[in-house]
Amino acid sequence: MKNIILALIVAFSFIGCSSKSDEQAANATPKLVVSKSLSELKLNDQNEKPQTISKETKIVFFSFAKPTGHICNKFLESKPANFLQEHNALYVADVSPAPSLIKKLFILPDLKKLKFPILLINNDKLSAEYSKGMNKDKIVVVHLENKKIISIENLSDEKALEKLFK
């Protein structure tokens, strides 16, 4: 009986979250649009250190789903700790869809162990703004010039990431 009640509570909490997320997504103003500036990009990294974009940043790649996050992490784990800095790049991962407890107990502690910085989208409103119009099943790569978006492309795997940085 306790398990049934617990299951119902969990189910209702997810139902409530999804409708709020759907509403935010519908009303969101997309931030990833060619010719728009990304100068407003201000996110904390996995160590809760505030990060901003610089004029030198040429590439920002986004992961909006767990599978693409694993691809990006695996790719970056095989590189030196300063790889992103040397390539004027930033990596942004959207962790907002994960339940708070899962983030707190598992996701964030695992991310803190990584040697490279990951900027985190950790709220539904920002997630909706950055992901609107994007293919969430792909790695979204934003090419910049002076903080302005000059192009956006989608990548599928580690090989494509490798090619991007060659």
Side-chain angles (χ1 to χ4, degrees), residues 33-52:
V33 177
V34 173
S35 80
K36 273 189 140 183
S37 174
L38 266 189
S39 59
E40 293 179 13
L41 182 78
K42 293 177 179 120
L43 298 168
N44 288 341
D45 66 16
Q46 74 267 36
N47 298 307
E48 298 176 31
K49 182 179 172 191
Q51 301 286 333
T52 58

Side-chain angles (χ1 to χ4, degrees), residues 62-127:
F62 292 81
S63 167
F64 294 108
K66 186 177 178 180
T68 56
H70 287 297
I71 292 168
C72 293
N73 290 348
K74 185 178 176 189
F75 170 76
L76 290 170
E77 285 175 333
S78 71
K79 304 297 178 203
N82 62 346
F83 179 83
L84 291 170
Q85 184 179 8
E86 284 182 356
H87 288 85
N88 296 315
L90 295 173
Y91 169 38
V92 179
D94 184 0
V95 296
S96 65
S100 305
L101 191 59
I102 301 298
K103 278 188 272 195
K104 192 175 196 176
L105 294 177
F106 302 105
I107 297 172
L108 295 175
D110 284 348
L111 293 178
K112 286 180 182 185
K113 295 174 189 173
L114 299 174
K115 62 184 178 185
F116 51 88
I118 304 173
L119 282 66
L120 301 176
I121 297 174
N122 200 9
N123 81 42
D124 293 336
K125 183 178 185 288
L126 275 179
S127 175

